[in-house]
Amino acid sequence: MKGLECQMKAIKDRLKEEAEAIPKAKKLIELSLHQQQKLQHMLTHLPSGLPPVATTTSGTTKCLQQEKLIGIPSIEPSKFEGDIALRKEKKGRGPVPRWYITAEELDSLSAYMRGRLTLDKLNYGVDEMAGYAAANAQLVAAPRKKLAEDTLEKALELRDIAMSEAVKGKYFFLETDMKGPGLKLDNTGKAILTVLRHLGRIHETRIGHHRVIILSKPQP
């Protein structure tokens, strides 16, 4: 008799659990029907096809019409490419290259042009030029809010120079940067610049009141 009572109690508990589960099942069915209606509505309003894709000469594609259909704002390619270029410029272009002078190049110079210059002096000048150019590149790339007051004016001036057509994308320094010890505005420093210009390591331009010296890769 006691065993029968236990079985009856277990049956009642099971029936109670199933009864409590019925409202949950109804709620799930309602949610499923609602989701089905939403999907059916989306399917009904989807376009039958997408407009043709226009391909640019650079191999990228513009899907402006498709973007409008799905609510994505379009971006002009020129602005997009400009933003990429600006970010790359801010990140820098890696270490400044040092194109050293070889003994053969020094020997190829006339005695008048070579004067008292040695290979060590010339290559020391190459190192110092790279240092000037690296310092300027760092100022150009630095966020304005991180610049000290005593460097802000020069940094803004360097940025204007860096964006000019003659200098854009190249490492450079100003004649006024040449403060030694190996390369400065004295007779030796001017002689070093003359030789480096002759051997294709630098070329010069004038921007505003500045004489800008641009690092160049020697031609083979």
Side-chain angles (χ1 to χ4, degrees), residues 14-142:
R14 179 65 177 172
L15 290 173
K16 184 180 178 182
E17 289 176 1
E18 291 183 356
E20 290 175 350
I22 289 173
K24 295 180 181 180
K26 287 182 178 180
K27 185 67 175 176
L28 286 174
I29 292 171
E30 290 175 3
L31 290 173
S32 297
L33 289 173
H34 181 65
Q35 183 68 14
Q36 184 180 5
Q37 290 173 358
K38 285 176 65 177
L39 292 173
Q40 186 64 38
H41 178 77
M42 291 172 64
L43 182 63
T44 303
H45 290 83
L46 276 177
S48 58
L50 293 176
V53 177
T55 305
T56 64
T57 54
S58 61
T60 59
T61 58
K62 295 186 294 184
C63 302
L64 301 181
Q65 293 178 334
Q66 291 93 321
E67 290 167 355
K68 289 178 182 177
L69 286 173
I70 57 178
I72 300 176
S74 61
I75 301 173
E76 290 293 333
S78 58
K79 293 180 181 179
F80 181 69
E81 290 166 5
D83 289 343
I84 293 175
L86 183 59
R87 288 196 294 270
K88 286 183 178 178
E89 188 70 26
K90 287 184 177 181
K91 289 179 182 178
R93 300 180 298 277
V96 181
R98 287 168 166 81
W99 292 297
Y100 292 113
I101 307 301
T102 65
E104 291 78 8
E105 287 177 308
L106 182 61
D107 292 339
S108 70
L109 300 174
S110 65
Y112 174 77
M113 180 177 286
R114 184 169 63 246
R116 295 184 178 180
L117 296 178
T118 64
L119 198 60
D120 288 340
K121 283 183 180 180
L122 288 170
N123 286 330
Y124 190 32
V126 170
D127 281 330
E128 290 207 337
M129 288 193 312
Y132 302 148
N136 287 341
Q138 188 174 3
L139 282 176
V140 169

Side-chain angles (χ1 to χ4, degrees), residues 5 14 52-53 68 89 111 134 153 155-156 170 191 194-195:
E5 289 178 356
R14 179 65 177 172
V53 177
K68 289 178 182 177
E89 188 70 26
E153 184 178 352
L156 296 177
K170 302 180 179 71
T194 299
V195 170

Side-chain angles (χ1 to χ4, degrees), residues 164-168 170 203 205 207 214:
S164 65
E165 286 301 320
V167 180
K168 194 172 184 179
K170 302 180 179 71
H203 64 276
T205 188
I207 298 177
I214 303 164

Side-chain angles (χ1 to χ4, degrees), residues 128 150 209 220:
E128 290 207 337
D150 58 338
H209 61 280

